[in-house]
Structure formats: structure tokens, C-alpha cells
């Protein structure tokens, strides 16, 4: 069965520092992979997605993620954190033929400090 | 173009009461979903509808029912609310490219 693991429920970085949020998945078939962001009291917004094209995917707000099949990982990065990046981030995986069902990780709350 | 809309935004129920959460999308998407979000557990799929006229159980369907009224609307019903159903409920929809678009959520408290 497919699953998604996000390492670290809370991550704190200084403004201007590198952001690295980790996501690993288990799958026996090629997945589609997504990162979503949730700001307080809002719904989820798509940051970026991997759908078997380029392994390095660029998203909104300066975020990017790299699909590494050998490591079954899809980590999210941003070179320089901004205070407005403080939010909860969810990694999700989907598989073909599953009516686009997504399996979500448990989320990582990113705190950005001055 | 409103995307995915949900009503109500907030609701407080007493144990045993019933209610229906409404969801509508204007993106002509075939698939629609209901999730619940609880602290530390991410989003868990309650029910989904791959297309108009079909519905299927997700990971946590017990205590819920759904209706895909037409292509635009997908409602979630709690027949007899329990405190364990206190949560934030999200509706989502998707087209042919697997990414899902989410509504703003309904915050439900059952006392």
C-alpha cells in the first residue's frame, strides 16, 4: 500500500536561511507527488507537483522539489526563508487509476524567526 | 470563478444531531472528495466521487454519508453526530491531471 512520511512535525528556520522539508513515499508503481501549503484557517493550496516529467520541479513562492526515485524522496526546498512562508506544508502522493485519490503526510509546520 | 465553495464555515452540534455539509465547484471537474483534518493526522479521505453518479468510501467513512447531487455538488451528511467527529472538513475537486483544488473548510464542533 502506498504511504507518505514527513520527517519532522515542526521545523524552525531563521529568516533568510534554507528551508528543507522532507518527504518520503512508498510505492510499487510510479507516483504523482504534490506539495500543498496551508496558511492558518485556510484551505490547502498547491505549491508544486511532479507528474513524471522533469525531476526538479519549481513551484510558487520560490519553492522547488526534487524527485529522487532511488531514495523514494520528494523533499521541498527554498533557498531563503521569508516570514510569510510560515505555514503548514503537506506532501501527498497519488497513483494512476485511483481516481486521483491523494494520500497525505501528517504535515510539517514551518516557523520562521527573525 | 469561485473554485470550490463550502457551507457553512462554522457549525456547533450537540451529540446526536444531524447536519449536511455542502460543497460546490465551478471548474467542471469530474472527481470530488471529502476529507477531515485533525491535529497531527494530516488529511484523511472520508468519501470520494470519481464521476457524477458514483461514490466510494475512503479511509474513514464510518458515521458519514455522501450524495453527488450533480457534477457541481457533493454533500456530506452526519446522521447522528458524535464528539469524535469534531474536526475541520475540506471538500476538494480534481479534473484530469490529478491535482486537487480545495475549499476553505468547515470547522465543526460536536459537544
Amino acid at each position: 500500500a502506498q504511504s507518505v512520511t514527513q520527517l519532522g512535525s515542526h521545523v524552525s528556520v531563521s529568516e533568510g536561511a534554507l528551508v528543507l522539508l522532507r518527504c518520503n513515499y512508498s510505492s510499487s508503481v510510479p507516483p504523482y507527488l504534490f506539495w500543498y501549503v496551508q496558511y492558518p484557517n485556510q484551505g490547502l493550496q498547491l505549491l508544486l507537483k511532479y507528474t513524471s516529467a522533469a525531476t526538479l520541479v519549481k513551484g510558487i513562492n520560490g519553492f522547488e522539489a526534487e524527485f529522487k526515485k532511488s531514495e523514494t524522496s520528494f523533499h521541498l526546498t527554498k533557498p531563503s526563508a521569508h516570514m510569510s512562508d510560515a505555514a503548514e506544508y503537506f506532501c501527498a502522493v497519488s497513483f494512476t487509476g485511483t481516481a486521483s485519490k491523494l494520500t497525505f503526510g501528517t504535515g510539517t509546520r514551518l516557523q520562521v524567526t527573525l | 470563478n469561485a473554485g470550490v465553495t463550502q457551507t457553512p464555515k462554522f457549525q456547533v452540534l450537540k451529540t446526536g444531531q444531524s447536519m449536511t455539509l455542502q460543497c460546490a465547484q465551478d471548474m467542471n471537474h469530474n472527481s470530488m472528495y471529502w476529507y477531515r483534518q485533525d491535529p497531527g493526522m494530516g488529511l484523511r479521505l472520508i468519501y470520494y466521487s470519481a464521476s457524477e453518479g458514483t461514490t466510494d468510501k475512503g479511509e474513514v467513512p464510518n458515521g458519514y454519508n455522501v450524495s453527488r447531487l450533480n457534477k457541481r455538488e457533493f454533500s456530506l451528511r452526519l446522521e447522528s453526530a458524535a464528539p469524535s467527529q469534531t474536526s475541520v472538513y475540506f471538500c476538494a475537486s480534481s479534473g484530469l491531471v490529478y491535482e486537487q483544488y480545495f475549499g476553505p473548510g468547515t470547522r465543526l464542533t460536536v459537544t
Side-chain angles (χ1 to χ4, degrees):
Chain A
Q2 64 265 25
S3 65
V4 179
T5 302
Q6 290 184 243
L7 293 176
S9 58
H10 289 85
V11 170
S12 182
V13 301
S14 301
E15 191 173 36
L18 172 72
V19 175
L20 171 60
L21 304 182
R22 299 178 186 274
C23 174
N24 288 87
Y25 67 92
S26 67
S27 168
S28 58
V29 297
Y32 292 164
L33 293 156
F34 306 83
W35 276 100
Y36 283 85
V37 61
Q38 184 181 32
Y39 298 102
N41 299 314
Q42 294 187 27
L44 277 71
Q45 178 183 0
L46 181 69
L47 265 182
L48 49 78
K49 64 181 179 183
Y50 167 76
T51 56
S52 73
T55 56
L56 181 62
V57 181
K58 294 188 185 299
I60 62 172
N61 302 338
F63 284 93
E64 61 182 38
E66 186 172 9
F67 172 65
K68 292 187 176 180
K69 184 178 179 180
S70 61
E71 299 178 9
T72 60
S73 69
F74 191 56
H75 301 330
L76 182 70
T77 60
K78 182 173 180 178
S80 177
H82 191 273
M83 296 295 288
S84 61
D85 294 327
E88 189 151 24
Y89 293 79
F90 292 94
C91 182
V93 61
S94 180
F95 301 91
T96 57
T98 60
S100 309
K101 288 196 295 181
L102 291 178
T103 300
F104 282 87
T106 52
T108 297
R109 186 167 298 280
L110 176 66
Q111 181 182 19
V112 183
T113 60
L114 288 172
Chain B
N1 190 343
V4 179
T5 57
Q6 292 183 236
T7 55
K9 286 186 167 48
F10 301 93
Q11 184 71 49
V12 178
L13 292 178
K14 295 185 187 304
T15 297
Q17 288 185 318
S18 62
M19 78 161 295
T20 299
L21 282 65
Q22 306 287 353
C23 174
Q25 53 92 8
D26 61 3
M27 295 175 282
N28 200 35
H29 285 165
N30 285 324
S31 301
M32 298 185 73
Y33 313 82
W34 276 106
Y35 295 90
R36 61 177 290 172
Q37 182 179 27
D38 302 291
M41 304 191 75
L43 277 78
R44 293 181 292 168
L45 183 64
I46 305 171
Y47 271 92
Y48 68 100
S49 171
S51 61
E52 187 178 354
T54 68
T55 61
D56 284 288
K57 295 178 181 179
E59 183 184 353
V60 289
N62 291 343
Y64 305 95
N65 284 300
V66 290
S67 296
R68 183 73 183 266
L69 305 169
N70 48 54
K71 192 171 186 179
R72 289 187 64 249
E73 298 172 290
F74 189 38
S75 62
L76 178 72
R77 183 161 178 83
L78 286 72
E79 290 291 351
S80 179
S84 60
Q85 294 178 305
T86 292
S87 187
V88 182
Y89 291 84
F90 288 100
C91 178
S93 68
S94 69
L96 299 176
V97 292
Y98 295 94
E99 63 194 69
Q100 295 184 13
Y101 295 84
F102 286 79
T106 295
R107 192 172 296 271
L108 174 67
T109 301
V110 183
T111 61

